[in-house]
Amino acid sequence: MENFDYWVSLYSWIFTILIASLSVNSIFFIKGFLNKLLYFFIFTRLYAFILTFFFESASIGYTQQELLPMFIYKRL
């Protein structure tokens, strides 16, 4: 796990870009600049919360030695 920090940084940048892109695509049909700006922040936080929920549950499952989270976190 010597390159662990590198991979965490890389995946955090990738997920940040993907969440921002998804948020921009979600506000496509909303009219008004202020409404778009507010909904961008709302959707960004919503998508980040959803991803955090799933990754946190996988992390907890890994520490409890459950099968699927162990498979997700298994070092190749």
Side-chain angles (χ1 to χ4, degrees):
M1 296 200 115
E2 52 276 347
N3 292 331
F4 185 71
D5 293 331
Y6 169 76
W7 288 109
V8 169
S9 298
L10 180 68
Y11 283 128
S12 67
W13 278 103
I14 290 171
F15 279 121
T16 301
I17 292 169
L18 290 174
I19 289 171
S21 173
L22 187 60
S23 297
V24 168
N25 287 329
S26 297
I27 63 172
F28 183 70
F29 292 110
I30 297 174
K31 297 189 187 287
F33 177 74
L34 184 60
N35 286 338
K36 284 187 179 191
L37 186 64
L38 292 174
Y39 275 106
F40 174 78
F41 289 121
I42 290 170
F43 282 127
T44 301
R45 186 62 203 138
L46 177 69
Y47 297 141
F49 175 74
I50 291 169
L51 283 175
T52 302
F53 175 76
F54 286 114
F55 281 117
E56 184 178 347
S57 64
S59 176
I60 292 170
Y62 175 73
T63 58
Q64 295 176 354
Q65 303 293 316
E66 294 178 6
L67 184 61
L68 182 60
M70 290 282 294
F71 176 74
I72 292 170
Y73 280 93
K74 184 177 180 181
R75 182 176 173 198
L76 298 175

